[in-house]
Short mmCIF file of all heavy atoms in Angstrom, two decimals:
data_model
loop_
_atom_site.label_atom_id
_atom_site.label_comp_id
_atom_site.label_asym_id
_atom_site.label_seq_id
_atom_site.Cartn_x
_atom_site.Cartn_y
_atom_site.Cartn_z
N THR A 39 257.03 56.28 290.85
CA THR A 39 257.62 55.77 292.05
C THR A 39 257.62 56.94 293.11
O THR A 39 257.56 58.12 292.76
CB THR A 39 259.09 55.29 291.90
OG1 THR A 39 259.92 56.40 291.58
CG2 THR A 39 259.19 54.27 290.81
N TYR A 41 259.22 57.47 297.44
CA TYR A 41 259.98 56.80 298.46
C TYR A 41 259.78 57.46 299.86
O TYR A 41 260.30 56.95 300.84
CB TYR A 41 261.44 56.74 298.13
CG TYR A 41 261.73 56.35 296.69
CD1 TYR A 41 261.86 57.30 295.68
CD2 TYR A 41 261.79 54.99 296.32
CE1 TYR A 41 262.03 56.93 294.35
CE2 TYR A 41 261.96 54.60 295.02
CZ TYR A 41 262.09 55.57 294.01
OH TYR A 41 262.28 55.20 292.69
N LEU A 58 254.59 53.38 293.24
CA LEU A 58 255.44 52.22 293.46
C LEU A 58 256.61 52.59 294.35
O LEU A 58 257.35 53.55 294.07
CB LEU A 58 256.02 51.73 292.12
CG LEU A 58 257.13 50.70 292.21
CD1 LEU A 58 256.64 49.37 292.79
CD2 LEU A 58 257.83 50.43 290.86
N GLY A 60 259.70 51.34 294.65
CA GLY A 60 260.49 50.42 293.82
C GLY A 60 261.86 50.17 294.45
O GLY A 60 262.37 50.99 295.22
N ASP A 61 262.45 49.06 294.07
CA ASP A 61 263.78 48.81 294.53
C ASP A 61 264.82 49.67 293.77
O ASP A 61 266.00 49.59 294.03
CB ASP A 61 264.13 47.30 294.49
CG ASP A 61 264.05 46.68 293.11
OD1 ASP A 61 263.73 47.40 292.15
OD2 ASP A 61 264.26 45.45 292.99
N SER A 62 264.32 50.45 292.80
CA SER A 62 265.14 51.54 292.24
C SER A 62 265.66 52.45 293.32
O SER A 62 266.57 53.23 293.13
CB SER A 62 264.36 52.32 291.18
OG SER A 62 263.16 52.79 291.80
N ASP A 100 257.96 46.76 295.84
CA ASP A 100 258.79 45.72 295.22
C ASP A 100 259.25 44.72 296.28
O ASP A 100 259.71 45.07 297.39
CB ASP A 100 260.08 46.37 294.66
CG ASP A 100 259.96 46.68 293.16
OD1 ASP A 100 259.06 46.06 292.51
OD2 ASP A 100 260.77 47.47 292.65
N LYS A 128 255.22 43.56 293.88
CA LYS A 128 255.75 43.31 292.52
C LYS A 128 257.01 42.45 292.60
O LYS A 128 257.83 42.65 293.46
CB LYS A 128 256.08 44.69 291.85
CG LYS A 128 256.75 44.56 290.49
CD LYS A 128 256.69 45.85 289.69
CE LYS A 128 257.73 46.87 290.06
NZ LYS A 128 259.09 46.45 289.85
N GLU A 130 259.96 40.21 289.99
CA GLU A 130 260.55 40.16 288.68
C GLU A 130 260.78 38.72 288.19
O GLU A 130 261.47 37.95 288.86
CB GLU A 130 261.89 40.93 288.69
CG GLU A 130 261.76 42.34 289.05
CD GLU A 130 263.08 43.09 288.97
OE1 GLU A 130 264.10 42.50 288.51
OE2 GLU A 130 263.14 44.28 289.35
N HIS A 152 256.61 41.46 286.92
CA HIS A 152 257.47 42.42 286.23
C HIS A 152 258.27 41.64 285.18
O HIS A 152 259.09 40.80 285.55
CB HIS A 152 258.39 43.08 287.26
CG HIS A 152 259.31 44.13 286.69
ND1 HIS A 152 259.79 45.17 287.50
CD2 HIS A 152 259.89 44.33 285.51
CE1 HIS A 152 260.61 45.93 286.77
NE2 HIS A 152 260.66 45.43 285.55
N LEU A 195 253.86 44.52 284.81
CA LEU A 195 254.74 45.64 284.47
C LEU A 195 255.70 45.15 283.44
O LEU A 195 256.40 44.12 283.62
CB LEU A 195 255.45 46.20 285.71
CG LEU A 195 256.14 47.57 285.48
CD1 LEU A 195 256.08 48.41 286.74
CD2 LEU A 195 257.61 47.35 285.08
N GLU A 197 258.93 46.16 281.09
CA GLU A 197 260.04 47.16 281.05
C GLU A 197 260.89 46.91 279.78
O GLU A 197 261.35 45.80 279.53
CB GLU A 197 260.88 47.07 282.29
CG GLU A 197 262.07 48.04 282.29
CD GLU A 197 262.69 48.28 283.64
OE1 GLU A 197 262.18 47.76 284.67
OE2 GLU A 197 263.70 48.99 283.68
N ILE A 218 257.09 50.67 280.95
CA ILE A 218 258.20 51.67 281.10
C ILE A 218 259.18 51.30 279.97
O ILE A 218 259.74 50.21 279.96
CB ILE A 218 258.83 51.65 282.53
CG1 ILE A 218 260.00 52.67 282.59
CG2 ILE A 218 259.25 50.26 283.00
CD1 ILE A 218 260.39 53.03 284.04
N ILE A 228 254.67 54.01 283.73
CA ILE A 228 255.30 54.38 285.01
C ILE A 228 256.64 55.02 284.77
O ILE A 228 257.26 54.76 283.74
CB ILE A 228 255.49 53.09 285.91
CG1 ILE A 228 255.99 53.48 287.31
CG2 ILE A 228 256.38 52.05 285.27
CD1 ILE A 228 255.79 52.41 288.37
N VAL A 230 260.21 56.75 287.11
CA VAL A 230 260.85 56.94 288.39
C VAL A 230 260.82 58.44 288.77
O VAL A 230 261.13 59.27 287.90
CB VAL A 230 262.31 56.37 288.33
CG1 VAL A 230 263.11 56.75 289.57
CG2 VAL A 230 262.29 54.82 288.16
O1 LIG B 315 262.07 49.73 290.98
C1 LIG B 315 261.46 50.47 290.23
O2 LIG B 315 261.39 51.66 290.40
C2 LIG B 315 260.81 49.85 289.05
C3 LIG B 315 260.49 50.75 287.94
C4 LIG B 315 261.62 50.82 287.01
C5 LIG B 315 259.27 50.36 287.26
O3 LIG B 315 260.62 48.65 289.01
#
Side-chain angles (χ1 to χ4, degrees):
T39 68
Y41 314 93
L58 169 67
D61 59 2
S62 52
D100 264 342
K128 175 163 81 59
E130 298 184 6
H152 182 155
L195 190 146
E197 177 164 356
I218 177 162
I228 187 162
V230 170

